[in-house]
Amino acid sequence: MLLKPLNRMRKTIGFRLALWNSIIFFLSFVIIFTFAYLYLSSTIRKYDRESVRMELSECATQFQKAGIDALKNEVDIETQAAGGRNLFFVRLAGAENNTLFLNIPDQWKGFDIHQLQDRHFNPYREWLDVKVKGNVVEIASLRLPDGQFLQVGKSSEGRWNLLKRFHIAFAAIFLPVILISFTGGVFLAHRSLQPIRGFISTLQSMTATGKMDVRVPRRQTEDELDELAVMFNGMLEKIEVLLNGMKSSLDNVAHDLRTPLARLRGKAEMALRSEQSVDMLRESLVDCVEESERVLTMLNTLMDISEAETGVMKLDLKKVRILSLMEDVIELYTYIAEEKDIAIHRICPEELYLTVDPNRMQQVLANLLDNAIKYTPSGGRVEIEVNQEQRQVVITVKDTGIGIPPEELFRVWDRLHRVDKSRSGRGLGLGLSLVKAIVEAHKGKVDVSSKPGVGSVFSVYLPKNL
């Protein structure tokens, strides 16, 4: 049972971060110790050699001045200066390497002098290595002018004792340092990964409840993880808006499909139950076809909008004359406008050409014109104006209709949205959504402004060179 929590903890990012922190800290500590040890050892050795050289030089000077007695006196003076400790090994040897004078330090008791007497002296080699109690000791040698030579050495026991204490100090602090580094790594990892746990908690809450209103808590640290939390919360807000929009759209689609399908079924049932004439049955079939056409129109329009928004709509781009395109659309709506006593005026340069998909652009103009006529009362006016700017062409449809409330203005481009909440008006609520999708597929943009009771202005901005 205990292994499962340990195994789970071992797989966590926090544990791995703490472990890597400890490993890096340990390696850094070992490297620093190694350099410190080498530097200390080199410094002590250099100091010992320098002191041996100085003593060798002083002994050689005294011996050349007054002989062996002066050499003995120099050794006594050095011993007194060291507080009675005999630190230096001093040996005077003849030309045949026979010992003439010998001073052995207290630490060198048991030293075998034959290690030096039996060794051939090399005048070009300054230092000799001898073993004393298992340690290698360096002895400096100097050839005197009379053929004799002088040797001076110093016990390295003090050096090794200092380095040994350095080893002990390293071993003493090694384990606490590793424990502190691991504990510190765990603490820092826990603090650093706190935002990640917030992400996990938020996602778990969303998965368990299905609600999108939860948010990742911020620490107000302004660091990368805090910025990520801001972006994640922003993404959740957009997803929530999209889901709510999808829910609203599905509700609207269900509402709009229910009516024509119910009529379609009602007509068919009535035709089947009654013994009507062929003409009456034909009329029922015509009604069924009309309702079916309404459903198909809605579904096709939704598919066109989706294709345009996802960038997969195929555009048959051609260079067309805008005035001709506009006149064709106006001609289609002239009869409807005359029935409502609405005047349609157009303003467009004669020879203005634009590279667009003619059929799709006719859909744009037709939807805007249909929308303007629909919401303009009798005796009103609709203007379609085309202006050429530096890098774009602006198509404006202006009416003197009922206008759009300010709170509804930003939603007029949404799918299946109608300003008329009763949903009793003619239309599917997809016209302006299709306009926006087609214009954006042409790399353009749309805009709208309106004043209730005054009218609305819809603007389409298209690039001259697509």
Side-chain angles (χ1 to χ4, degrees), residues 6 48 90 110 118 138 160-161 186 188 204 239 251 255 275 286 292 297 312 359 389 395 409 433 437 449 459:
L6 292 176
D48 286 347
V90 180
D118 297 340
E138 298 175 330
W160 296 119
N161 287 338
V186 171
L188 292 177
Q204 288 176 341
I239 292 175
D251 292 341
H255 182 280
E275 295 181 359
V286 170
S292 301
T297 300
V312 297
N359 294 328
E389 297 183 358
I395 302 174
L409 195 62
S433 299
S449 61
S459 301

Side-chain angles (χ1 to χ4, degrees), residues 288-335:
C288 290
V289 170
E290 288 180 353
E291 296 300 335
S292 301
E293 186 66 26
R294 177 180 172 84
V295 174
L296 288 174
T297 300
M298 176 185 289
L299 296 177
N300 288 333
T301 305
L302 284 172
M303 290 182 64
D304 286 342
I305 294 173
S306 298
E307 288 181 357
E309 290 178 344
T310 55
V312 297
M313 175 180 279
K314 294 181 180 179
L315 299 176
D316 184 16
L317 299 177
K318 297 178 181 179
K319 189 174 182 180
V320 298
R321 185 167 173 255
I322 299 299
L323 181 58
S324 300
L325 203 65
M326 185 185 300
E327 288 177 342
D328 291 341
V329 174
I330 293 175
E331 184 179 352
L332 292 174
Y333 285 88
T334 299
Y335 177 73

Side-chain angles (χ1 to χ4, degrees), residues 238-282:
K238 289 185 177 180
I239 292 175
E240 185 178 12
V241 171
L242 289 174
L243 289 177
N244 291 334
M246 289 175 61
K247 183 177 180 299
S248 177
S249 297
L250 290 174
D251 292 341
N252 293 338
V253 169
H255 182 280
D256 287 329
L257 286 178
R258 186 183 296 114
T259 301
L261 290 177
R263 290 176 182 171
L264 182 62
R265 180 174 179 176
K267 292 287 184 180
E269 288 179 347
M270 288 177 61
L272 290 173
R273 290 175 183 175
S274 62
E275 295 181 359
Q276 298 178 356
S277 64
V278 175
D279 292 337
M280 295 297 292
L281 293 175
R282 186 183 300 275

Side-chain angles (χ1 to χ4, degrees), residues 50-67 70-75 77-78 88 90 142 144 150 152:
E50 189 63 29
S51 63
V52 169
R53 285 194 184 98
M54 292 177 63
E55 181 64 19
L56 179 61
S57 176
E58 186 65 27
C59 288
T61 300
Q62 295 298 326
F63 175 73
Q64 290 177 357
K65 285 182 178 180
L71 181 59
K72 293 179 180 179
N73 187 50
E74 171 61 24
V75 172
I77 293 174
E78 188 63 35
F88 290 99
V90 180
L142 176 66
L144 299 176
L150 189 63
V152 176

